[in-house]
Amino acid sequence: METEQDSFLISDEMETNIRNLFQCFHSSDDVRSRDFTLHGSQGSLLYLTTVTDTDKLQANILRPLLQAKEGRLEDVLPILDIEVVTDLKAAAAGMLQGKCAILLQQRADIVLVDASANLVHSVGEPQNEQTVRGSHVGFVDDITINAQLIHQRLKNANLVERHFTLGSESPTNVTLLYMCDVADMNVVDEIIANLLTNQATFIKSPGQITDRLESSHFSIFPQMLFTERPDSTVAHLMEGRVALMVDGSSFATILPVTFFMFFQAADDFNVRWWNGTFFRFLRFISVMIGIALPSVYIAIVSNHFDVLPIDLVFSLKASLENVPFNPFMEAMFMIIVLELLREAAIRLPKSISSTLSIVGGLVIGSEVVNANLVSTTMIVVISLTAVASFSVPSHEMRLAIRLISFPIMIASSLMGFVGISFSFSLLFMHLSKLETFGVPYFYPFMPFKPKRILSTLIQLPKRIFGGKASDRRAS
């Protein structure tokens, strides 16, 4: 019976070595082979498409091998970096660095020749996930370059790629990446089955593919995390999650996810744990401000003036004296104006969007107060709400927070604090029930895991809270 140690030994049979090398990479789709004949002996080239330069491979390795009349294999190749290894584990490690493995029949060693690819393409900086001390390299629209960026940071044979082509009229390349030793294979199989069974004739956008993978289409919360950072993608892969990349998109889709993943930023892990903990708590506070601050203001002004100090009551009465609308109408008017300005700033060219921000913030904000359309206190409340929502790292979660605030505002205007309490009860019930590919969305609060709550809320130092990547995955 063949042991695991024996599987790393090189055999005299070339087909056995090729089969064992494929097994080292778990039959990943980016492992390719090319057969050739040298001096009457059968040979084969094995390489990884994501880290190997195919032009260099063809010109400097394959062509000299096919044209060679005589001489040793090492003397035929016009390359300086040539290494001979005697076990499959070393061969696999070399292939992860962009080397090509050359196998010959009846030869009990493997020749590694450098054919690594260099990213000559311009790799841009992430626009939506900027960092101070972290990496400034972001994904691009080319799925091949994105895969190379991941392999540059994660040189591990357990990283598996699965390639798919979706859309019969206009084929679109899709790549699924996961670590086979820590990822939940049930989740991987479910994602693959979903991709293969929900084919479309034409893929209009990457969102058309990711929408199929949502567990609950009626939930307002995002059920997938989108990132344009290769380092963040690698971190999620090492924690057992799955990354989905679509050709033509500069974002990687991470799944399954939990609610608290959307409030982690790359800078949290590049600064001291005190600073990371402080800013993480600040984001949690900003969520509560973004959801509840307008509703609390409406409830106080409409139904609960008695909870305020008497001096503040007089100040609010003075600001509301000449305003013809109730607080709910004020808040709706200001939020709609804010959303219109934000949408216009996104759609306009960058040279004009900065001017629009100045006009919207100064001119419109001051003139609506002078026209007695809204109170000065409402301007402060809506401004704080907008700033708080913008501090959330995830764009999808920011949109969800803004949408959630509308029904809570309606409940607060009708029932005051009772309406807010009832709304938050329904909100937590929904979060506790929601799942993404079998993973509880509100983990570790539901199911309740006290040991995991501390590491979720606080960025603890490694000496205090360590552990393997498999222990930290969301499962």
Side-chain angles (χ1 to χ4, degrees):
M1 181 178 180
E2 183 178 336
T3 63
E4 182 179 358
Q5 185 67 27
D6 295 335
S7 63
F8 291 132
L9 299 177
I10 295 180
S11 171
D12 292 337
E13 296 293 331
M14 184 184 66
E15 290 78 8
T16 302
N17 295 330
I18 294 175
R19 183 170 61 253
N20 290 336
L21 266 180
F22 269 95
Q23 291 178 355
C24 286
F25 293 97
H26 306 277
S27 301
S28 181
D29 290 344
D30 61 334
V31 183
R32 303 290 174 83
S33 64
R34 169 63 159 86
D35 296 333
F36 65 92
T37 302
L38 178 66
H39 309 325
S41 299
Q42 294 295 322
S44 182
L45 303 178
L46 265 72
Y47 59 95
L48 298 175
T49 58
T50 48
V51 293
T52 304
D53 188 343
T54 54
D55 294 334
K56 186 188 298 185
L57 181 65
Q58 182 172 344
N60 299 338
I61 299 177
L62 183 58
R63 183 177 299 169
L65 288 175
L66 296 178
Q67 296 176 352
K69 303 295 183 181
E70 58 183 8
R72 296 187 312 144
L73 173 63
E74 293 84 347
D75 299 332
V76 170
L77 302 175
I79 295 179
L80 292 177
D81 190 2
I82 297 179
E83 180 184 2
V84 180
V85 297
T86 57
D87 66 281
L88 296 176
K89 193 172 183 180
M95 292 174 62
L96 288 170
Q97 298 176 358
K99 296 181 179 180
C100 170
I102 304 178
L103 298 86
L104 289 176
Q105 188 70 27
Q106 302 300 326
R107 180 164 174 171
D109 56 18
I110 296 178
V111 179
L112 297 178
V113 184
D114 181 45
S116 57
N118 297 320
L119 287 178
V120 297
H121 303 272
S122 58
V123 179
E125 183 175 354
Q127 299 296 318
N128 300 306
E129 299 176 80
Q130 297 184 5
T131 182
V132 177
R133 291 178 52 189
S135 172
H136 293 270
V137 176
F139 288 131
V140 295
D141 290 344
D142 193 330
I143 193 173
T144 304
I145 299 177
N146 294 340
Q148 290 179 1
L149 291 173
I150 292 179
H151 277 271
Q152 281 185 347
R153 288 165 172 78
L154 187 55
K155 297 179 176 65
N156 194 315
N158 292 319
L159 177 61
V160 179
E161 285 191 21
R162 291 288 179 257
H163 298 163
F164 305 95
T165 302
L166 304 181
S168 57
E169 297 295 334
S170 179
T172 301
N173 296 325
V174 178
T175 299
L176 192 71
L177 298 101
Y178 60 92
M179 298 292 294
C180 63
D181 56 336
V182 293
D184 189 347
M185 295 309 298
N186 293 326
V187 173
V188 175
D189 294 339
E190 185 176 351
I191 294 173
I192 294 176
N194 196 303
L195 291 174
L196 295 179
T197 56
N198 293 280
Q199 291 277 7
T201 57
F202 175 66
I203 305 298
K204 294 179 288 186
S205 65
Q208 185 177 351
I209 299 175
T210 56
D211 285 346
R212 306 171 184 170
L213 302 175
E214 288 188 348
S215 302
S216 176
H217 295 283
F218 297 101
S219 177
I220 200 171
F221 290 98
Q223 298 161 53
M224 283 166 283
L225 179 64
F226 298 92
T227 178
E228 55 183 343
R229 299 185 60 87
D231 53 349
S232 298
T233 304
V234 169
H236 288 299
L237 289 172
M238 291 299 296
E239 292 180 352
R241 300 182 183 94
V242 181
L244 180 69
M245 296 191 300
V246 182
D247 197 14
S249 173
S250 59
F251 288 85
T253 305
I254 307 298
L255 59 166
V257 296
T258 61
F259 177 77
F260 297 98
M261 286 174 52
F262 293 93
F263 306 99
Q264 298 179 0
D267 269 334
D268 293 349
F269 306 95
N270 295 318
V271 297
R272 298 189 68 231
W273 72 278
W274 287 104
N275 302 326
T277 300
F278 170 75
F279 287 114
R280 187 174 295 184
F281 264 109
L282 202 62
R283 296 188 198 104
F284 292 141
I285 295 173
S286 69
V287 174
M288 299 305 298
I289 293 176
I291 294 177
L293 184 59
S295 304
V296 171
Y297 174 78
I298 293 172
I300 290 175
V301 174
S302 301
N303 303 294
H304 304 286
F305 254 118
D306 52 333
V307 302
L308 298 177
I310 190 64
D311 295 336
L312 187 56
V313 171
F314 290 142
S315 176
L316 282 177
K317 283 290 187 181
S319 65
L320 295 170
E321 187 175 357
N322 296 321
V323 177
F325 306 110
N326 59 47
F328 174 72
M329 296 300 297
E330 285 185 81
M332 291 296 294
F333 173 74
M334 285 306 303
I335 290 177
I336 291 175
V337 170
L338 181 66
E339 292 299 324
L340 287 174
L341 291 174
R342 185 189 64 84
E343 188 70 14
I346 294 175
R347 307 306 167 198
L348 286 174
K350 291 184 178 180
S351 58
I352 307 177
S353 61
S354 58
T355 305
L356 176 68
S357 301
I358 298 174
V359 172
L362 297 179
V363 178
I364 298 179
S366 60
E367 291 304 319
V368 292
V369 175
N370 295 333
N372 292 325
L373 295 177
V374 295
S375 64
T376 55
T377 310
M378 180 59 72
I379 294 291
V380 175
V381 169
I382 298 301
S383 300
L384 286 175
T385 303
V387 172
S389 64
F390 292 149
S391 65
V392 178
S394 172
H395 174 67
E396 289 73 23
M397 185 58 73
R398 289 197 296 266
L399 294 177
I401 290 172
R402 289 201 290 268
L403 290 176
I404 290 170
S405 64
F406 285 103
I408 300 179
M409 286 166 53
I410 297 174
S412 66
S413 65
L414 296 176
M415 297 180 287
F417 287 153
V418 176
I420 297 177
S421 302
F422 182 72
S423 300
F424 270 91
S425 298
L426 293 178
L427 184 63
F428 286 124
M429 288 172 59
H430 173 69
L431 288 173
S432 301
K433 187 179 179 181
L434 187 62
E435 291 184 352
T436 58
F437 292 96
V439 176
Y441 192 73
F442 211 45
Y443 179 87
F445 287 93
M446 184 58 67
F448 187 65
K449 301 289 184 181
K451 295 182 179 179
R452 296 291 297 127
I453 291 176
L454 188 63
S455 61
T456 300
L457 301 179
I458 300 177
Q459 180 63 34
L460 290 173
K462 298 295 182 182
R463 291 184 179 181
I464 298 178
F465 188 82
K468 299 179 180 180
S470 59
D471 297 332
R472 297 192 301 268
R473 56 180 173 173
S475 60

